[in-house]
């Protein structure tokens, strides 16, 4: 018997996302309709709606979990028509969720193979892809009303912070590889306050996982 992915998608929203206080109607609507399997390699498509980390391509990159990306997108608190930067966009699923909510989305990816897969998966959408070092952000398209990091960072790159609009929100999982717990941080405004939203753990984004400080 073949797996009913539409039913699995519905169950993901109802059993993984909604119970964790994700209530944004625009986000829930696109979560119900956007096929996540489109953004995964064939062997992993049956697991598209599981609550386990899923590899993205041969790069070793690991996807965020549904609870993670849903809560983080909601925390951006962006309004339709506003501009969002997705850092470490991978194959474009989170970027597509945001585009489906009516946002103007820029997808930043450093891995050309993942970006190519993402560009193919998002053909026909308004998403703009950029391929470069993630630390650089997209200064030519700044400021952004929201900036989302799709993986862990040991610290938020200063260029990305500077690209946040005065009234915007930046959301990222902050921690080093092998940390057992990582806080999800939201920074409001280019020089605004920083708050911890919840705790989780995620794989680091390439080039954004600094080594542990050396101690004598």
């Amino acid at each position: 018997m073949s797996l009913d992915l539409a039913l699995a998608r519905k169950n993901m929203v109802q059993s993984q996302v909604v119970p964790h206080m994700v209530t944004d109607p625009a986000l829930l609507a696109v979560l119900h309709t956007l096929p996540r399997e489109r953004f995964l390699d064939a062997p992993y498509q049956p697991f598209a709606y599981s609550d386990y980390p899923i590899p993205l391509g041969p790069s070793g990159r690991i996807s965020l979990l549904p609870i993670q990306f849903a809560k983080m997108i909601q925390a951006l608190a962006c309004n339709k028509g506003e501009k969002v930067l997705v850092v470490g966009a991978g194959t474009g699923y989170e970027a597509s969720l945001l585009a489906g909510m009516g946002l103007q989305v820029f997808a930043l990816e450093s891995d050309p193979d993942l970006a190519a897969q993402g560009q193919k998966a998002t053909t026909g959408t308004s998403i703009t892809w950029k391929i470069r070092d993630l630390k650089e952000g997209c200064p030519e398209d700044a400021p952004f009303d929201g900036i989302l990091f799709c993986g862990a960072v040991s610290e938020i790159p200063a260029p990305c912070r500077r690209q946040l609009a005065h009234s915007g929100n930046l959301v990222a999982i902050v921690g080093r590889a092998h940390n057992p717990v990582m806080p999800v941080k939201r920074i409001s405004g280019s020089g605004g306050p920083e708050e911890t939203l919840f705790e989780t753990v995620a794989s680091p984004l390439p080039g954004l996982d600094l080594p542990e400080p050396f101690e004598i």
Side-chain angles (χ1 to χ4, degrees), residues 1-213:
M1 183 174 62
S2 61
L3 178 64
D4 186 340
L5 289 174
L7 178 59
R9 183 164 60 249
K10 178 181 178 180
N11 290 338
M12 176 196 75
V13 177
Q14 296 302 321
S15 65
Q16 298 179 50
V17 175
V18 172
H20 286 85
M21 305 300 291
V22 176
T23 59
D24 185 304
L27 174 56
L28 292 175
V30 72
L31 282 169
H32 272 294
T33 57
L34 182 65
R36 192 184 185 201
E37 62 271 18
R38 181 195 304 167
F39 304 88
L40 302 175
D41 292 337
Y44 301 107
Q45 289 176 359
F47 308 102
Y49 304 105
S50 69
D51 58 352
Y52 292 97
I54 300 174
L56 299 176
S59 66
R61 187 82 63 83
I62 302 296
S63 68
L64 292 176
L65 302 177
I67 294 171
Q68 293 172 324
F69 61 68
K71 293 182 72 171
M72 292 171 72
I73 287 174
Q74 179 170 265
L76 288 174
C78 288
N79 298 310
K80 187 175 181 178
E82 291 186 326
K83 190 162 52 173
V84 178
L85 175 64
V86 179
V87 182
T91 57
Y93 177 66
E94 289 86 358
S96 294
L97 289 173
L98 290 159
M101 295 169 66
L103 299 167
Q104 182 183 359
V105 181
F106 292 80
L108 175 61
E109 181 49 58
S110 59
D111 185 318
D113 293 332
L114 284 182
Q117 188 174 344
Q119 287 171 317
K120 182 178 179 180
T122 58
T123 299
T125 73
S126 60
I127 296 170
T128 300
W129 283 84
K130 305 280 184 170
I131 305 173
R132 63 168 70 119
D133 190 320
L134 302 182
K135 291 192 295 291
E136 298 177 14
C138 292
E140 68 275 17
D141 299 299
F144 296 98
D145 302 294
I147 300 178
L148 175 71
F149 286 80
C150 292
V153 300
S154 56
E155 60 183 40
I156 297 167
C160 292
R161 291 187 70 140
R162 290 194 293 268
Q163 292 165 30
L164 182 63
H166 179 70
S167 59
N169 288 313
L170 181 154
V171 180
I173 301 169
V174 181
R176 290 184 168 86
H178 310 303
N179 283 169
V181 177
M182 302 175 180
V184 178
K185 299 283 189 178
R186 177 167 62 187
I187 297 172
S188 299
S190 55
E194 182 176 305
E195 59 182 316
T196 297
L197 302 175
F198 60 99
E199 293 183 335
T200 189
V201 66
S203 296
L205 288 172
L208 296 181
D209 182 35
L210 298 179
E212 293 283 356

